[in-house]
Amino acid sequence: MKLAFMSVLGAPALLVAAGASAQWSDSFDTYADGSAVVGQGGWEMWGGGAAPHGIVTSAEATHGPQSLEVINGDDIVHTYDEIAGAWQYRAMMLVPAEAAGAQTWFVMLNTYPATVNPDWSVAIVFDPNAGTVTSWDGATLPLAAGAWTEIRVVINLDDDHQDIYYGGELLTSKTWTGGVGEGGVARIHAVDLYAPQTEYSTYWDDLSLVEVDPVGACCLISGECIPDLG
């Protein structure tokens, strides 16, 4: 994944949130322990490469027996094609307490693949050296190293708005089409779990994309949407 970032940054189980209907999820529990996730469940390498990166592992997990280990150049992508409505993307991630060295990234795109001028709507960097979680616009929260922590992105494609939470705290609110760069489109097209030259393992689990009831521009962190009173 090639993305310039500002210098400040240095068969799936269904998960149903209240007020939402399940659309897609993956807990990595149905794949063989130790297998490469690329080629399974719709996962691929950035740009369609075939390298066996992204390993299913039983070393760490949230609820089920397995998670996805991402390390040292892994660039793992799953695609979608949602073009309207309000959506919630959720992922659990673990940066080990002993982690040090390079950063790891959580990315969402409104245009993919790499061959068609990709466009990023979300780019979040986890930096164990600085102890921070930082969005592309410089918003920062403390990194919860050593603990499974939720990332939640609530996206209203009709209103062109997104709210990003880490560990239940609002990290940033932005437009979706003008997220990382201007000129994007109203589409949820891909998630990218990226570890550029990361010396430590990062673990991902319980990923899901569900449609939610629209609430103007946002949705409660609990997943329960409230009427737009404005």
Side-chain angles (χ1 to χ4, degrees):
M1 180 193 72
K2 295 182 179 179
L3 172 61
F5 217 48
M6 61 177 54
S7 59
V8 67
L9 303 183
L14 296 180
L15 304 173
V16 182
S21 59
Q23 304 295 321
W24 171 88
S25 68
D26 203 341
S27 60
F28 308 102
D29 294 331
T30 62
Y31 312 133
D33 187 14
S35 65
V37 78
V38 171
Q40 302 189 84
W43 292 96
E44 64 183 63
M45 283 288 291
W46 173 266
H53 290 181
I55 301 301
V56 178
T57 179
S58 58
E60 298 283 356
T62 49
H63 302 101
Q66 297 180 158
S67 66
L68 178 67
E69 180 182 18
V70 175
I71 189 173
N72 196 25
D74 288 353
D75 203 351
I76 311 301
V77 174
H78 199 289
T79 60
Y80 316 93
D81 195 19
E82 306 302 342
I83 59 174
W87 297 83
Q88 175 179 273
Y89 200 100
R90 178 181 180 270
M92 298 296 292
M93 66 96 62
L94 171 66
V95 175
E98 66 276 12
Q103 303 160 339
T104 191
W105 298 50
F106 173 83
V107 172
M108 294 186 71
L109 297 99
N110 62 70
T111 304
Y112 181 84
T115 55
V116 294
N117 193 23
D119 193 277
W120 289 260
S121 288
V122 177
I124 303 171
V125 168
F126 305 86
D127 188 334
N129 289 337
T132 57
V133 176
T134 307
S135 68
W136 69 95
D137 59 354
T140 301
L141 288 171
L143 175 66
W148 281 99
T149 308
E150 181 190 69
I151 301 164
R152 189 186 297 259
V153 185
V154 182
I155 306 151
N156 192 322
L157 294 173
D158 298 332
D159 285 355
D160 190 19
H161 185 91
Q162 61 172 316
D163 295 315
I164 302 174
Y165 299 87
Y166 174 75
E169 297 290 330
L170 180 65
L171 176 62
T172 192
S173 296
K174 293 290 178 180
T175 63
W176 177 256
T177 61
V180 178
E182 297 298 328
V185 298
R187 176 173 54 199
I188 302 171
H189 212 186
V191 69
D192 182 14
L193 310 178
Y194 182 41
Q197 301 175 341
T198 304
E199 298 88 351
Y200 60 89
S201 297
T202 301
Y203 300 93
W204 298 88
D205 205 355
D206 291 349
L207 281 69
S208 62
L209 176 64
V210 298
E211 189 170 13
V212 296
D213 296 329
V215 205
C218 64
C219 185
L220 292 178
I221 186 63
S222 66
E224 297 181 5
C225 292
I226 58 175
D228 183 0
L229 303 179

